[in-house]
Amino acid sequence: MTTLEGTPVASPDATQPVGSALRIAPAFIATTIDAHLGVSTAVTAQYVASEGRYVIKGVTNTVIGDDVELNYPTVAKVGMQAIVQSAAPRCIFLTLDDESDPLARWISVDELTTSQGRILPPQLAAEVVRRGSSEARLQVIELLYGSAALAGLPPAKLIQAELGVPHRTASSWIIAARAAGRLAGMNYNAGRPAGG
């Protein structure tokens, strides 16, 4: 994961505000190697405000072995959208400190994610579900929605999985967070084709 200039993405690169508390790197290059295909792929993605997500702007495929031909059947097997979905959490940052404090520590969603693949600790998830329409719930919905939507993944599914709530509840909380202005600059269109 690098910036367009080739340096590793870090919190100072998260200059684009989205929602009310998230900051993202406006663009990144994610490089991955598929040893089975014998191809290295570098995907350039850029945040597009009108889309409310990262959009693929360029792809470079390079063979990593002499016995591989870079042709349509090979390139068609490269999961470009999956690369963006995997990379985006490293480009989405939030702080648990006061945002206006110049010493505030900004952490990526990737840093929050546990070894079990969860973003929220189970105790926090249970507390958010119990608390009614609290500020903490809105913050959590913003974090989860942004993590999914910016990567082109279904936010309601992530909210359901993280908080253990039914789809109807997740949808209702998304509506409430959007009405509170927490999801500005983040969109997910369920009918959008993968990679589109």
Side-chain angles (χ1 to χ4, degrees):
M1 286 293 307
T2 67
T3 65
L4 298 183
E5 293 76 30
T7 60
V9 172
S11 59
D13 300 311
T15 57
Q16 173 71 49
V18 293
S20 67
L22 301 178
R23 303 290 178 268
I24 64 171
F28 63 84
I29 299 173
T31 304
T32 185
I33 294 175
D34 186 323
H36 178 71
L37 288 177
V39 175
S40 171
T41 303
V43 175
T44 301
Q46 180 179 350
Y47 172 73
V48 176
S50 62
E51 294 291 321
R53 63 184 172 92
Y54 284 110
V55 174
I56 296 172
K57 294 295 186 174
V59 178
T60 303
N61 291 298
T62 307
V63 298
I64 57 172
D66 292 336
D67 59 340
V68 178
E69 178 183 355
L70 197 58
N71 54 25
Y72 179 77
T74 301
V75 173
K77 294 175 185 170
V78 174
M80 293 180 292
Q81 188 62 32
I83 294 169
V84 172
Q85 291 169 349
S86 176
R90 296 180 186 120
C91 298
I92 304 167
F93 291 83
L94 70 147
T95 184
L96 303 174
D97 302 321
D98 180 359
E99 288 182 39
S100 61
D101 182 351
L103 299 177
R105 180 175 178 262
W106 289 81
I107 54 176
S108 70
V109 169
D110 185 60
E111 290 175 89
L112 288 176
T113 305
T114 66
S115 59
Q116 294 83 26
R118 293 181 57 95
I119 295 172
L120 301 175
Q123 314 86 292
L124 177 58
E127 182 66 22
V128 166
V129 171
R130 275 196 306 268
R131 282 190 142 192
S133 60
S134 68
E135 181 66 17
R137 180 179 293 160
L138 291 174
Q139 289 172 340
V140 164
I141 297 302
E142 178 179 354
L143 169 65
L144 296 175
Y145 185 95
S147 299
L150 290 165
L153 294 168
K157 283 187 180 181
L158 179 61
I159 292 167
Q160 285 176 260
E162 286 281 331
L163 301 179
V165 297
H167 180 77
R168 177 178 283 177
T169 301
S171 295
S172 172
W173 289 352
I174 289 169
I175 291 167
R178 189 166 300 285
R182 303 298 295 242
L183 305 182
M186 300 179 268
N187 295 316
Y188 177 76
N189 300 321
R192 180 174 60 237

